[in-house]
Amino acid sequence: MDKSSIKNSLQWLLANYFSSHKQRFFIKKGECLFKKGDANDRLYLVKSGQLNGYVDNPDGSHYARFEASKNMFVGIVSFFSRTYIARANVIAEEDSEVAYITKDEPLVKREGYDSLFDQFMPVVVTDLAFRQQREQQFFLEKEAATKKLLHSEKMASLGQMAAGLAHELNNAIAVLERNTHWMRENINAILQKRYPQEYPFFQYGNEKGRRLSSSEVRAHTKEIMTKFALAKQDAQKLAQTGIPADDLRRFVDIMDVDADIIHYYWDIGATFHDMMIAARHAAHVVRSVKALGAQKHSRQLNLDVNQSLQESLALLGTKVESVTIKQKLAELPPIVANIGELVQIWTNLLKNAIEAMQQAHTPNAQLKIRSSFADGAVNVYIEDNGPGIPKDLQEIIFQPNVTTKAQGLSFGLGLGLSIIEKIVDSYSGTISVKSKPGKTVFKVKLPVGDGYG
Amino acid sequence: MDKPNIICIDDQRQILATLQKDLEYFDEYFTIQTCESASEAEDLLSSLADENEEVALLICDHIMPGKNGIDFMIDIQNDSRFRYTKKILLTGLATHSDAIAAINDANVSHYLEKPWDTTELLSIVKILITQFIFQTGLERDVFLPILDLETLQKMG
């Protein structure tokens, strides 16, 4: 039976069974039509308004099992099961009018429908199906709500734990970071004054760090072995410094210094470089974790988003050296923001992009950073030409515990983007991603406050 | 004869530099090499094998981009050219099943967690290279200053 014939059946029923003025009355909002367990030998039709059927849950709460609005039936189960005992508490949700028939209702003849049951069946089954659908939806909603609640409870306790951990670690990291810095400055000053000959090697290591990869060191070793006629071990030491062969020649020829000495002073410098990177990284990890349980940071007026982008690039330091960076920054109105939070957003997105390209060994790895102002909002686009994010991952990428990162030190807790989303959200902004192989763009939209829009 | 090699594999350059400093003690008798990925280590190993150089020890991280440390060491385990090569798994993050695979399939000699203790690392390396020297039948006397005497006595 199709929809229109169900409609016809309903119209026929309305006209033939529910049009009498005698079997019809009003019920006020909040009034009870019947209670569960009451005797009820009537089938009601809602003429106007709405009635809900409630059942009690075992835990004492109750929920609407069905909602009957205009042209829907109430009392279906008790009437058609012929128990004539009400199955739910039916209450008027608003001022309503109902019509009814009783179990002894005289049959109105209709061609092809011999009994009352035949006549009502299609319409009533449709009503019941509707109720079932509603119940299912209710169940799904409830399940989703429970999941969400569990998740936010989990995040809250994780945040609390993280904040405690971060606090403890912060002191230790601060001591390491500050004192590394202090030592570095002092060793630098002492060497410069007392060991002017060796100082350039320290300085080179201190400024550039370990700039050659292990395979580059091997290639450089071979070059030095032939150019300088040195033993492998000495050549390897010189190669590790990353000092170009021609510069090395100058030192070796003029000053007759040996490889061990050069390497030794260079290594002191490079080690300070490593320690600073590691301390900064540790501080960054702690900051990220802390942001999980964070309260709102103080925000300053007139913050330049472009400047926060530059700070992020500076913070990433040598990490960005492996990719080509192209910037196209528009003139932007100032926004009300916390620079730390913005830097955190950009740093995280940039770092993700760089690491994805490194992991995939993307040739000609490129990062494009764009900013624009449109429709009262500042937009920042961070684009890479890496491998792209698989479709199924794109959908869940802002959820916590989603990570593609394998390396131990790159902190693959999968919290980065969920934290960022939280921050962006606190600015009433949005973050979105579009990705295909060779082109992934993250867009962050931050509305400019009232005073400027 | 060329000095036997000790190869460190870790995707973090700073970790490699730290390991290299720690292993300086063996510098006179072994060539310490570093690799930033498993595939780089595979290339290095095969070029060393081509030149008939010995590989005494691998010190390998587990979680790296590309092939992970345990899979790499399982492959090495199945390569007869490196049957005496000792292996240390040095990692900050490995699951229970990783550890099982490391022991059962990769025949890892030792498992060290990051951050490691230098004294512990050195004593383990000493024991392992002593075993290596003994098993390969290399001239023991040459290496005597850096060998672990207790291990040597045990092996007879």
Side-chain angles (χ1 to χ4, degrees), chain A residues 210-216 218 232-233 236-237 240 263 267 271 273-274 277 358-359 361 405-410, chain B residues 3 5 11-17 20-21 24 27-28 31-36 40 44 48 53 63-65 93:
Chain A
R210 304 181 194 277
R211 69 182 190 87
L212 297 192
S213 71
S214 49
S215 59
E216 286 168 336
R218 263 190 292 283
K232 190 173 174 186
Q233 195 173 347
Q236 194 191 31
K237 286 200 158 145
Q240 275 171 7
H263 182 267
D267 206 1
T271 299
H273 190 94
D274 289 350
I277 290 176
Q358 277 175 347
Q359 273 191 41
H361 302 290
K405 286 182 201 163
Q407 298 103 309
L409 263 179
S410 46
Chain B
K3 292 190 272 189
N5 292 276
D11 58 309
Q12 191 92 22
R13 208 171 288 172
Q14 288 80 17
I15 297 284
L16 288 175
Q20 216 161 11
K21 274 205 205 78
E24 214 165 26
D27 224 17
E28 210 177 309
T31 304
I32 319 290
Q33 305 249 29
T34 59
C35 293
E36 291 174 22
E40 191 185 324
L44 177 64
L48 289 175
E53 288 198 30
I63 294 177
M64 299 183 284
L93 195 70

Side-chain angles (χ1 to χ4, degrees), chain A residues 223-231:
Chain A
E223 186 194 352
I224 289 172
M225 275 172 82
T226 41
K227 275 197 178 158
F228 295 79
L230 281 174

Side-chain angles (χ1 to χ4, degrees), chain B residues 59-71:
Chain B
I59 301 177
C60 189
D61 184 21
H62 175 43
I63 294 177
M64 299 183 284
K67 191 187 278 187
N68 71 42
I70 292 171
D71 285 348

Side-chain angles (χ1 to χ4, degrees), chain A residues 59 83 215 274 308 338 439 443:
Chain A
D59 65 358
T83 55
S215 59
D274 289 350
S308 69
N338 174 283
K439 187 177 176 181
K443 178 188 175 187

Side-chain angles (χ1 to χ4, degrees), chain B residues 6-7 14 20 23 29-30 33 35 40 43 46 48 50 67 70-71 91 93 100 107 112 127 133 154:
Chain B
I6 295 175
I7 302 173
Q14 288 80 17
Q20 216 161 11
L23 296 173
Y29 303 92
F30 292 84
Q33 305 249 29
C35 293
E40 191 185 324
D43 291 346
S46 69
L48 289 175
D50 288 347
K67 191 187 278 187
I70 292 171
D71 285 348
T91 179
L93 195 70
I100 292 173
N107 194 20
L112 259 185
I127 293 170
I133 299 291
K154 254 192 250 166

